[in-house]
Amino acid sequence: MKKSVIIIIGVIYIASIVLIGFLGMKITSYDEIFYVNKIECINENAVAKEDGSKSIEFIYDENLPPEENVVQIFWKVYPEDATNRRVEFMYDKASKVGYVDNNGRVWLKRVGTLTVQIKSTDGSNIIQIVKIISKAL
């Protein structure tokens, strides 16, 4: 090989190293999935317990129509850029205290405690437990 060809290859090699070092290489991922790592009940009157659950007290009045004995559960999903932020509400369907709809509204039927689990639906199985404590007027 001629000396000039070897020098040209060497110059191109060194120039490519400098060019890559100058411009840098950035790894870009596409269709990355961010899983839920925490669900938090954010009701103002929710009290945190040592076990990580929260409780909400409500004064139940049997003289009111059913639509007025309702507690709305508010929640927040973390991280905020989670791919699937949907949750489902699970509770004992045989409970005589009340029931929960798909929007987090707890319809109370009597005095007692209803335990509600707010669960992520993205497969991470993150759960926030909220105890609704219905007390007599």
PDB file of all heavy atoms in Angstrom, residues 66-86:
ATOM      1  N   PRO A  66     -80.280   9.128  49.223  1.00  0.00           N
ATOM      2  CA  PRO A  66     -79.012   8.413  48.995  1.00  0.00           C
ATOM      3  C   PRO A  66     -77.944   9.230  48.265  1.00  0.00           C
ATOM      4  O   PRO A  66     -76.762   9.090  48.551  1.00  0.00           O
ATOM      5  CB  PRO A  66     -79.427   7.203  48.151  1.00  0.00           C
ATOM      6  CG  PRO A  66     -80.870   7.020  48.424  1.00  0.00           C
ATOM      7  CD  PRO A  66     -81.430   8.372  48.741  1.00  0.00           C
ATOM      8  N   GLU A  67     -78.346  10.082  47.339  1.00  0.00           N
ATOM      9  CA  GLU A  67     -77.360  10.863  46.577  1.00  0.00           C
ATOM     10  C   GLU A  67     -76.644  11.917  47.410  1.00  0.00           C
ATOM     11  O   GLU A  67     -75.688  12.531  46.948  1.00  0.00           O
ATOM     12  CB  GLU A  67     -77.991  11.493  45.326  1.00  0.00           C
ATOM     13  CG  GLU A  67     -79.118  12.444  45.585  1.00  0.00           C
ATOM     14  CD  GLU A  67     -80.484  11.773  45.652  1.00  0.00           C
ATOM     15  OE1 GLU A  67     -80.579  10.530  45.595  1.00  0.00           O
ATOM     16  OE2 GLU A  67     -81.472  12.502  45.772  1.00  0.00           O
ATOM     17  N   GLU A  68     -77.094  12.144  48.643  1.00  0.00           N
ATOM     18  CA  GLU A  68     -76.421  13.111  49.503  1.00  0.00           C
ATOM     19  C   GLU A  68     -75.509  12.443  50.526  1.00  0.00           C
ATOM     20  O   GLU A  68     -74.764  13.122  51.221  1.00  0.00           O
ATOM     21  CB  GLU A  68     -77.453  13.999  50.195  1.00  0.00           C
ATOM     22  CG  GLU A  68     -78.158  14.904  49.200  1.00  0.00           C
ATOM     23  CD  GLU A  68     -78.993  15.972  49.870  1.00  0.00           C
ATOM     24  OE1 GLU A  68     -78.634  16.411  50.978  1.00  0.00           O
ATOM     25  OE2 GLU A  68     -80.008  16.363  49.276  1.00  0.00           O
ATOM     26  N   ASN A  69     -75.552  11.145  50.623  1.00  0.00           N
ATOM     27  CA  ASN A  69     -74.638  10.402  51.484  1.00  0.00           C
ATOM     28  C   ASN A  69     -73.545   9.778  50.618  1.00  0.00           C
ATOM     29  O   ASN A  69     -73.375   8.567  50.549  1.00  0.00           O
ATOM     30  CB  ASN A  69     -75.387   9.315  52.269  1.00  0.00           C
ATOM     31  CG  ASN A  69     -76.154   9.885  53.433  1.00  0.00           C
ATOM     32  OD1 ASN A  69     -75.627  10.691  54.195  1.00  0.00           O
ATOM     33  ND2 ASN A  69     -77.407   9.494  53.573  1.00  0.00           N
ATOM     34  N   VAL A  70     -72.792  10.649  49.941  1.00  0.00           N
ATOM     35  CA  VAL A  70     -71.773  10.222  48.986  1.00  0.00           C
ATOM     36  C   VAL A  70     -70.448  10.882  49.343  1.00  0.00           C
ATOM     37  O   VAL A  70     -70.391  12.067  49.657  1.00  0.00           O
ATOM     38  CB  VAL A  70     -72.171  10.603  47.543  1.00  0.00           C
ATOM     39  CG1 VAL A  70     -71.070  10.250  46.562  1.00  0.00           C
ATOM     40  CG2 VAL A  70     -73.471   9.929  47.161  1.00  0.00           C
ATOM     41  N   VAL A  71     -69.386  10.094  49.268  1.00  0.00           N
ATOM     42  CA  VAL A  71     -68.030  10.598  49.458  1.00  0.00           C
ATOM     43  C   VAL A  71     -67.291  10.417  48.136  1.00  0.00           C
ATOM     44  O   VAL A  71     -67.323   9.327  47.550  1.00  0.00           O
ATOM     45  CB  VAL A  71     -67.284   9.812  50.564  1.00  0.00           C
ATOM     46  CG1 VAL A  71     -65.845  10.278  50.672  1.00  0.00           C
ATOM     47  CG2 VAL A  71     -67.992   9.939  51.887  1.00  0.00           C
ATOM     48  N   GLN A  72     -66.649  11.468  47.667  1.00  0.00           N
ATOM     49  CA  GLN A  72     -65.839  11.381  46.447  1.00  0.00           C
ATOM     50  C   GLN A  72     -64.388  11.165  46.847  1.00  0.00           C
ATOM     51  O   GLN A  72     -63.833  11.937  47.620  1.00  0.00           O
ATOM     52  CB  GLN A  72     -65.964  12.654  45.619  1.00  0.00           C
ATOM     53  CG  GLN A  72     -65.059  12.699  44.392  1.00  0.00           C
ATOM     54  CD  GLN A  72     -65.433  11.671  43.343  1.00  0.00           C
ATOM     55  OE1 GLN A  72     -66.565  11.613  42.900  1.00  0.00           O
ATOM     56  NE2 GLN A  72     -64.475  10.852  42.939  1.00  0.00           N
ATOM     57  N   ILE A  73     -63.793  10.103  46.335  1.00  0.00           N
ATOM     58  CA  ILE A  73     -62.366   9.857  46.568  1.00  0.00           C
ATOM     59  C   ILE A  73     -61.585  10.529  45.443  1.00  0.00           C
ATOM     60  O   ILE A  73     -61.865  10.316  44.265  1.00  0.00           O
ATOM     61  CB  ILE A  73     -62.040   8.351  46.591  1.00  0.00           C
ATOM     62  CG1 ILE A  73     -62.786   7.660  47.728  1.00  0.00           C
ATOM     63  CG2 ILE A  73     -60.532   8.136  46.729  1.00  0.00           C
ATOM     64  CD1 ILE A  73     -62.606   6.151  47.756  1.00  0.00           C
ATOM     65  N   PHE A  74     -60.613  11.346  45.820  1.00  0.00           N
ATOM     66  CA  PHE A  74     -59.711  11.979  44.863  1.00  0.00           C
ATOM     67  C   PHE A  74     -58.358  11.290  44.981  1.00  0.00           C
ATOM     68  O   PHE A  74     -57.910  10.980  46.084  1.00  0.00           O
ATOM     69  CB  PHE A  74     -59.574  13.476  45.132  1.00  0.00           C
ATOM     70  CG  PHE A  74     -60.861  14.222  44.982  1.00  0.00           C
ATOM     71  CD1 PHE A  74     -61.605  14.591  46.097  1.00  0.00           C
ATOM     72  CD2 PHE A  74     -61.348  14.549  43.730  1.00  0.00           C
ATOM     73  CE1 PHE A  74     -62.798  15.278  45.971  1.00  0.00           C
ATOM     74  CE2 PHE A  74     -62.549  15.232  43.587  1.00  0.00           C
ATOM     75  CZ  PHE A  74     -63.267  15.594  44.712  1.00  0.00           C
ATOM     76  N   TRP A  75     -57.685  11.059  43.870  1.00  0.00           N
ATOM     77  CA  TRP A  75     -56.415  10.351  43.885  1.00  0.00           C
ATOM     78  C   TRP A  75     -55.470  10.946  42.872  1.00  0.00           C
ATOM     79  O   TRP A  75     -55.866  11.669  41.968  1.00  0.00           O
ATOM     80  CB  TRP A  75     -56.629   8.861  43.593  1.00  0.00           C
ATOM     81  CG  TRP A  75     -57.062   8.602  42.186  1.00  0.00           C
ATOM     82  CD1 TRP A  75     -56.275   8.290  41.128  1.00  0.00           C
ATOM     83  CD2 TRP A  75     -58.402   8.682  41.655  1.00  0.00           C
ATOM     84  NE1 TRP A  75     -57.026   8.149  39.980  1.00  0.00           N
ATOM     85  CE2 TRP A  75     -58.335   8.384  40.290  1.00  0.00           C
ATOM     86  CE3 TRP A  75     -59.642   8.963  42.212  1.00  0.00           C
ATOM     87  CZ2 TRP A  75     -59.451   8.372  39.473  1.00  0.00           C
ATOM     88  CZ3 TRP A  75     -60.745   8.947  41.403  1.00  0.00           C
ATOM     89  CH2 TRP A  75     -60.654   8.656  40.057  1.00  0.00           C
ATOM     90  N   LYS A  76     -54.188  10.628  43.057  1.00  0.00           N
ATOM     91  CA  LYS A  76     -53.156  11.062  42.129  1.00  0.00           C
ATOM     92  C   LYS A  76     -52.253   9.875  41.846  1.00  0.00           C
ATOM     93  O   LYS A  76     -51.943   9.092  42.734  1.00  0.00           O
ATOM     94  CB  LYS A  76     -52.349  12.209  42.735  1.00  0.00           C
ATOM     95  CG  LYS A  76     -51.422  12.875  41.765  1.00  0.00           C
ATOM     96  CD  LYS A  76     -50.882  14.168  42.314  1.00  0.00           C
ATOM     97  CE  LYS A  76     -50.073  14.865  41.246  1.00  0.00           C
ATOM     98  NZ  LYS A  76     -49.577  16.136  41.695  1.00  0.00           N
ATOM     99  N   VAL A  77     -51.850   9.738  40.581  1.00  0.00           N
ATOM    100  CA  VAL A  77     -50.998   8.637  40.140  1.00  0.00           C
ATOM    101  C   VAL A  77     -49.599   9.179  39.887  1.00  0.00           C
ATOM    102  O   VAL A  77     -49.433  10.228  39.268  1.00  0.00           O
ATOM    103  CB  VAL A  77     -51.580   7.994  38.855  1.00  0.00           C
ATOM    104  CG1 VAL A  77     -50.648   6.952  38.297  1.00  0.00           C
ATOM    105  CG2 VAL A  77     -52.955   7.415  39.120  1.00  0.00           C
ATOM    106  N   TYR A  78     -48.591   8.449  40.387  1.00  0.00           N
ATOM    107  CA  TYR A  78     -47.188   8.820  40.187  1.00  0.00           C
ATOM    108  C   TYR A  78     -46.474   7.698  39.449  1.00  0.00           C
ATOM    109  O   TYR A  78     -46.779   6.543  39.691  1.00  0.00           O
ATOM    110  CB  TYR A  78     -46.496   9.046  41.531  1.00  0.00           C
ATOM    111  CG  TYR A  78     -47.074  10.178  42.327  1.00  0.00           C
ATOM    112  CD1 TYR A  78     -48.016   9.939  43.323  1.00  0.00           C
ATOM    113  CD2 TYR A  78     -46.682  11.491  42.092  1.00  0.00           C
ATOM    114  CE1 TYR A  78     -48.554  10.973  44.065  1.00  0.00           C
ATOM    115  CE2 TYR A  78     -47.218  12.527  42.840  1.00  0.00           C
ATOM    116  CZ  TYR A  78     -48.150  12.263  43.822  1.00  0.00           C
ATOM    117  OH  TYR A  78     -48.679  13.283  44.556  1.00  0.00           O
ATOM    118  N   PRO A  79     -45.530   7.993  38.572  1.00  0.00           N
ATOM    119  CA  PRO A  79     -45.130   9.321  38.143  1.00  0.00           C
ATOM    120  C   PRO A  79     -46.193   9.941  37.242  1.00  0.00           C
ATOM    121  O   PRO A  79     -47.049   9.238  36.707  1.00  0.00           O
ATOM    122  CB  PRO A  79     -43.841   9.073  37.361  1.00  0.00           C
ATOM    123  CG  PRO A  79     -43.984   7.688  36.831  1.00  0.00           C
ATOM    124  CD  PRO A  79     -44.776   6.941  37.871  1.00  0.00           C
ATOM    125  N   GLU A  80     -46.121  11.238  37.111  1.00  0.00           N
ATOM    126  CA  GLU A  80     -47.143  11.943  36.344  1.00  0.00           C
ATOM    127  C   GLU A  80     -47.105  11.595  34.861  1.00  0.00           C
ATOM    128  O   GLU A  80     -48.086  11.786  34.162  1.00  0.00           O
ATOM    129  CB  GLU A  80     -47.015  13.444  36.565  1.00  0.00           C
ATOM    130  CG  GLU A  80     -47.373  13.822  37.991  1.00  0.00           C
ATOM    131  CD  GLU A  80     -47.418  15.315  38.229  1.00  0.00           C
ATOM    132  OE1 GLU A  80     -47.310  16.083  37.256  1.00  0.00           O
ATOM    133  OE2 GLU A  80     -47.567  15.698  39.390  1.00  0.00           O
ATOM    134  N   ASP A  81     -45.971  11.085  34.399  1.00  0.00           N
ATOM    135  CA  ASP A  81     -45.872  10.706  32.985  1.00  0.00           C
ATOM    136  C   ASP A  81     -46.034   9.197  32.781  1.00  0.00           C
ATOM    137  O   ASP A  81     -45.598   8.646  31.772  1.00  0.00           O
ATOM    138  CB  ASP A  81     -44.552  11.185  32.382  1.00  0.00           C
ATOM    139  CG  ASP A  81     -43.330  10.574  33.050  1.00  0.00           C
ATOM    140  OD1 ASP A  81     -43.475   9.998  34.152  1.00  0.00           O
ATOM    141  OD2 ASP A  81     -42.226  10.688  32.491  1.00  0.00           O
ATOM    142  N   ALA A  82     -46.699   8.537  33.725  1.00  0.00           N
ATOM    143  CA  ALA A  82     -46.962   7.104  33.585  1.00  0.00           C
ATOM    144  C   ALA A  82     -47.757   6.862  32.301  1.00  0.00           C
ATOM    145  O   ALA A  82     -48.650   7.639  31.959  1.00  0.00           O
ATOM    146  CB  ALA A  82     -47.727   6.578  34.797  1.00  0.00           C
ATOM    147  N   THR A  83     -47.431   5.798  31.626  1.00  0.00           N
ATOM    148  CA  THR A  83     -48.066   5.488  30.350  1.00  0.00           C
ATOM    149  C   THR A  83     -49.562   5.220  30.509  1.00  0.00           C
ATOM    150  O   THR A  83     -50.373   5.748  29.761  1.00  0.00           O
ATOM    151  CB  THR A  83     -47.374   4.277  29.702  1.00  0.00           C
ATOM    152  OG1 THR A  83     -45.971   4.557  29.605  1.00  0.00           O
ATOM    153  CG2 THR A  83     -47.938   4.004  28.329  1.00  0.00           C
ATOM    154  N   ASN A  84     -49.923   4.402  31.485  1.00  0.00           N
ATOM    155  CA  ASN A  84     -51.327   4.073  31.735  1.00  0.00           C
ATOM    156  C   ASN A  84     -51.668   4.556  33.141  1.00  0.00           C
ATOM    157  O   ASN A  84     -51.252   3.956  34.122  1.00  0.00           O
ATOM    158  CB  ASN A  84     -51.547   2.560  31.613  1.00  0.00           C
ATOM    159  CG  ASN A  84     -52.970   2.149  31.911  1.00  0.00           C
ATOM    160  OD1 ASN A  84     -53.814   2.964  32.259  1.00  0.00           O
ATOM    161  ND2 ASN A  84     -53.240   0.868  31.781  1.00  0.00           N
ATOM    162  N   ARG A  85     -52.415   5.640  33.251  1.00  0.00           N
ATOM    163  CA  ARG A  85     -52.730   6.253  34.541  1.00  0.00           C
ATOM    164  C   ARG A  85     -54.096   5.823  35.083  1.00  0.00           C
ATOM    165  O   ARG A  85     -54.544   6.313  36.092  1.00  0.00           O
ATOM    166  CB  ARG A  85     -52.678   7.771  34.418  1.00  0.00           C
ATOM    167  CG  ARG A  85     -51.313   8.272  33.980  1.00  0.00           C
ATOM    168  CD  ARG A  85     -51.276   9.761  33.718  1.00  0.00           C
ATOM    169  NE  ARG A  85     -51.823  10.548  34.776  1.00  0.00           N
ATOM    170  CZ  ARG A  85     -51.187  10.889  35.896  1.00  0.00           C
ATOM    171  NH1 ARG A  85     -49.958  10.475  36.079  1.00  0.00           N
ATOM    172  NH2 ARG A  85     -51.768  11.632  36.812  1.00  0.00           N
ATOM    173  N   ARG A  86     -54.739   4.892  34.414  1.00  0.00           N
ATOM    174  CA  ARG A  86     -56.075   4.462  34.853  1.00  0.00           C
ATOM    175  C   ARG A  86     -55.992   3.613  36.118  1.00  0.00           C
ATOM    176  O   ARG A  86     -55.015   2.895  36.326  1.00  0.00           O
ATOM    177  CB  ARG A  86     -56.783   3.692  33.763  1.00  0.00           C
ATOM    178  CG  ARG A  86     -57.231   4.597  32.616  1.00  0.00           C
ATOM    179  CD  ARG A  86     -57.854   3.788  31.548  1.00  0.00           C
ATOM    180  NE  ARG A  86     -56.776   2.950  31.001  1.00  0.00           N
ATOM    181  CZ  ARG A  86     -56.884   2.180  29.964  1.00  0.00           C
ATOM    182  NH1 ARG A  86     -58.015   2.072  29.344  1.00  0.00           N
ATOM    183  NH2 ARG A  86     -55.867   1.476  29.524  1.00  0.00           N
TER     184      ARG A  86
END
